[in-house]
Amino acid sequence: KVFEHHAVGLSAGILSALVGVGAGLVLSPYLIIRNVPSPIAVATSSTAVLFTSSSTTLQYLLTDRIILSLSLVYGAATIFASYVGTKLVLTMKEHAQQSFTTGIIAAGVLMSAVLSLIELFKHLPADS
């Protein structure tokens, strides 16, 4: 079981480094499949995203690839949106069935995966 967790974590890290997705797309569904309650799965994957994105941000900052003014605007919007999303998940946990909450999370993960794949295929070199 420990090996499985390490393999999933390694996969999430590699995907994050390659295409910018990982913890959210890999860990949340994995934890939900392992019967972890959805709010805990989301919180756990969000914590993993914190470490992954912090290391990536530091790399970009050191190579001068960040527009700080945009980062501040997006950061403020993200803080507000994550607060609202957390409140929504907690409210849904109290008033909705777990399967409904899991369905919403799965839909979000699926949408993120599809959009990431579309973006990936836009940047692949065309065959000659």
Side-chain angles (χ1 to χ4, degrees):
K1 195 172 189 179
V2 172
F3 176 76
E4 179 183 334
H5 295 314
H6 286 298
V8 171
L10 184 64
S11 300
I14 290 171
L15 283 171
S16 180
L18 289 175
V19 292
V21 298
L25 278 175
V26 175
L27 293 182
S28 287
Y30 169 73
L31 292 172
I32 290 170
I33 288 169
R34 302 295 290 161
N35 295 320
V36 173
S38 339
I40 294 172
V42 170
T44 302
S45 69
S46 295
T47 303
V49 168
L50 173 70
F51 292 107
T52 305
S53 63
S54 295
S55 66
T56 304
T57 299
L58 183 60
Q59 291 174 23
Y60 285 146
L61 188 62
L62 293 175
T63 57
D64 199 31
R65 297 174 65 186
I66 295 176
I67 302 171
L68 289 176
S69 59
L70 287 177
S71 299
L72 294 174
V73 171
Y74 289 134
T78 301
I79 289 170
F80 175 74
S82 65
Y83 174 78
V84 171
T86 301
K87 287 293 186 185
L88 181 63
V89 166
L90 292 175
T91 302
M92 288 173 54
K93 179 182 175 190
E94 294 174 7
H95 301 293
Q97 293 181 349
Q98 173 131 3
S99 60
F100 180 72
T101 306
T102 303
I104 289 176
I105 293 169
V109 169
L110 178 64
M111 183 175 66
S112 179
V114 168
L115 292 173
S116 295
L117 287 172
I118 289 170
E119 192 65 24
L120 175 68
F121 286 120
K122 285 192 326 192
H123 296 290
L124 287 178
D127 292 338
S128 299

